[in-house]
Amino acid sequence: MMYGPEKSDPVIVATKLANKAEQLSAERSGGEPYAAEPVERRAGTKGNAGQQSTRRTQSRVSVSQALERIRKVARERKKERFTALYHYISVDLLEEAFFQLKANAAPGVDRLTWKDYEADLERKLEDLHLRVQRGAYRALPSRRVYIPKPDGRQRPLAVAALEDKIVQRAVAALLNAIYEEDFLGFSYGFRPGRGAHDALDALCVGIHGKKVSFILDADIRSFFDEISQQWLIRFLEHRVGDRRIIRLIQKWLKAGILEDGVVSVSDRGTGQGSVISPLLANIYLHYALDLWAARWRRRTANGDMIMVRYADDFIIGFEHHIDAQLFLDEMRERLGKFALSLHPEKTRLIEFGRFAAERRKRRGLGKPETFNFLGFTLSAARPKGENSRSNGRPEGIACGRSYRRSRRACDGVCTSPSLNRGSGWGGSFAATSIITPCRPTRMHWPSSDTTSPTSGGARCGVVARRMGSRGQG
């Protein structure tokens, strides 16, 4: 109702002229226009007729098409440097980035919440877009907060301001379109469709399908705080040639951390907890570790080798002890070149695998050691109640917490979403194989409440229990 209570919008005069409306008829006096097919006046709708109800859907389509174009070029041209990415930061992309943020996330130094920003969202996003495009956008310092770690220590996090989160999410979408075509198959964590359970699944199948006799359980010390920003920018420039995108990332790196009223700025770290930090961390390790490890496997390893990396926590399996020890020594040297180091207490080399228990028993040693990965303790032992054997191999099960409800069945091949992408070692978790045969049996697990199944659904000679549960080895 536009003009008064209980009144509809007025009738709208049709703007389309009728056929022959401009043709003058000589037969009609006064030269009145003659319309062969007069057009009726149509009634207007009630309410806000000018609103575009399909805008959100159309914006999603346009953003998706733009990202797909970037993805296609990145896939087809592995050496391409993208020199024109900045104009892809549109109002539509910013809007999509805003709605991908968590509505209940902690506010940054601006104390602006998601709900507050949602009010008059269109005007605010247009203003943010203008500031970004003309270079007037300024990143605010991140607010320092601490959360408890399992070992009792405190983990420092950096909470960015809301507008910084929006722009970071938009830039991360652009960079993901490029680097998801570059990242190797054994890289998991903070990637679309490649979560913790996919990593556990890949590790299980890798140990089962390859001749793994030793496990290198590695962890990088204070990784998110020790990343060299100088090296990070150099790595980004391999694929990103748009200096405006690089300057935008540098703004976030140099914005600093606000703690106890003091802003501290460092040339190291990416601010763990920020929206774009996990992607930058994966890019850093892609060049500093992943590519080198893949090359080392092809050129140096004498036996089978598998690798699963989840952020800065990674597991590497070897057939021969000499390969494992040589890789560990050279990896320490490699990481040192990029300002990183292995955690001395969390990094260790142990005997592990399908035949580890049998070999150690023949030598008069105890049970194989266990190792922790993504909140689970994995042991090379047969679970209680499992007495059957297959081809002389001790059977086990892999357990993970997300599939307690689904109870997925194994269909004869154990794969995760990543295993069908790429080729060779770079496209899968385990050297040259992309899928590994397994017994077509339904996933099962012990009745104990301490275990739960993983995504693999295969019997893999590995028992995984949640850390801290009873019955750990």
Side-chain angles (χ1 to χ4, degrees), residues 267-284:
D267 60 351
R268 291 178 178 270
T270 60
Q272 185 177 6
S274 65
V275 172
I276 202 170
S277 176
L279 174 59
L280 297 180
N282 271 330
I283 293 173
Y284 197 91

Side-chain angles (χ1 to χ4, degrees), residues 144-198:
R144 174 69 78 200
V145 297
Y146 292 90
I147 61 173
K149 299 176 69 173
D151 58 5
R153 296 181 297 168
Q154 296 285 320
R155 183 188 304 278
L157 297 180
V159 181
L162 185 62
E163 286 195 335
D164 293 337
K165 292 179 182 178
I166 296 172
V167 183
Q168 286 183 20
R169 177 72 70 182
V171 173
L174 298 178
L175 295 181
N176 262 325
I178 299 172
Y179 285 100
E180 278 301 309
E181 303 300 328
D182 292 352
F183 289 150
L184 303 188
F186 55 80
S187 168
Y188 295 83
F190 311 111
R191 294 182 57 190
R194 299 173 68 83
H197 299 97
D198 300 306

